[in-house]
Amino acid sequence: MSDEVYIEAQVQNITCGPVSLENVSLEASPEFKDDGESVFGQINSLPQNASRQYLYSLAPNPFRPKTNTASTSLGNLNFVWRSEMGEKGRLRTSELHKPTTEVPDLRLCVQELPNLVYIDEPFQFKIKLTNTSLKPMELSLFLENLSNMSWIGVSGRKFGTLESKSEIILPLCLVPLVTGLQTISGIRMKDSLTKKYMFENDN
């Protein structure tokens, strides 16, 4: 799961002549880090009625404290231009926001997975579980039956306590039963402290 956020901006020159773009930059909020430059590079000249696109990539600031609710503030876009007569213009957008998303209490990421596997031959992959909540978890792993693959391992295995803001890497093993591109599913984690199941429908 990627935490990067992309902002795309389109600028159109609706003045009576060409303009020179002196600055088009993103001022990221403290929750994110960014160099302020568009991944498309710098574009200095903009003819009349022409449009330009800018794309910015934001990554979470690792030095900001984590909360259970993801921040919606992304920052502001700044535009500075000059007309062919030398007149200067400036525009700063209002604060940009993204939709509010809830950070799951337990996050699952695939760490290692082979690109090619063979029918009836076991293969191993690894998952990383991160406890993003403010409380410890007592985790047990449950493996549901699949039609395209068969699990090797004991379902209901306990892994002990996963403290708040900590992580654990688990090796898992499957045997593919059919050919083609397949989806791995059927992983469920249960927190015995809250009696809550997670990843019931995740693939």
Side-chain angles (χ1 to χ4, degrees):
M1 179 185 296
S2 175
D3 292 325
E4 288 187 350
V5 178
Y6 292 91
I7 297 178
E8 183 179 7
Q10 185 178 65
V11 181
Q12 183 178 16
N13 176 13
I14 59 174
T15 67
C16 298
V19 297
S20 176
L21 298 174
E22 296 187 350
N23 179 44
V24 179
S25 62
L26 172 67
E27 183 181 332
S29 68
E31 285 76 16
F32 293 91
K33 60 178 182 178
D34 178 73
D35 58 10
E37 298 293 334
S38 169
V39 299
F40 291 158
Q42 291 290 335
I43 301 174
N44 295 324
S45 179
L46 191 60
Q48 182 182 4
N49 296 323
S51 299
R52 294 289 186 270
Q53 284 183 303
Y54 295 85
L55 181 66
Y56 298 90
S57 174
L58 293 174
N61 187 345
F63 300 104
R64 296 290 294 181
K66 293 183 178 180
T67 62
N68 278 356
T69 302
S71 172
T72 64
S73 176
L74 299 176
N76 306 82
L77 284 168
N78 297 298
F79 304 91
V80 180
W81 67 92
R82 193 179 296 273
S83 71
E84 59 182 346
M85 300 299 293
E87 297 173 330
K88 195 170 186 177
R90 184 185 301 270
L91 174 66
R92 178 182 172 87
T93 67
S94 58
E95 194 169 46
L96 304 175
H97 293 268
K98 67 174 182 177
T100 303
T101 55
E102 291 296 323
V103 178
D105 289 340
L106 186 65
R107 176 177 292 179
L108 184 152
C109 295
V110 176
Q111 288 292 101
E112 296 180 15
L113 183 67
N115 294 324
L116 181 65
V117 297
Y118 299 92
I119 288 183
D120 296 330
E121 292 187 12
F123 71 92
Q124 190 176 84
F125 66 101
K126 295 181 180 180
I127 61 173
K128 181 175 72 173
L129 299 173
T130 304
N131 180 1
T132 63
S133 72
L134 301 177
K135 299 179 180 180
M137 295 181 177
E138 292 284 345
L139 295 177
S140 298
L141 171 68
F142 292 85
L143 303 172
E144 296 185 335
N145 293 328
L146 305 174
S147 60
N148 59 339
M149 297 186 187
S150 178
W151 290 104
I152 296 180
V154 178
S155 183
R157 189 170 29 148
K158 296 182 179 181
F159 291 96
T161 303
L162 183 62
E163 298 294 340
S164 172
K165 309 303 179 183
S166 61
E167 61 189 34
I168 184 174
I169 295 179
L170 304 179
L172 299 175
C173 191
L174 278 168
V175 178
L177 305 177
V178 295
T179 60
L181 186 64
Q182 303 297 323
T183 298
I184 297 176
S185 60
I187 299 174
R188 292 202 304 164
M189 303 299 301
K190 180 182 179 181
D191 179 12
S192 61
L193 298 179
T194 61
K195 310 300 181 183
K196 180 181 178 181
Y197 283 94
M198 288 154 279
F199 313 126
E200 290 183 90
N201 300 313
D202 285 5
N203 294 329

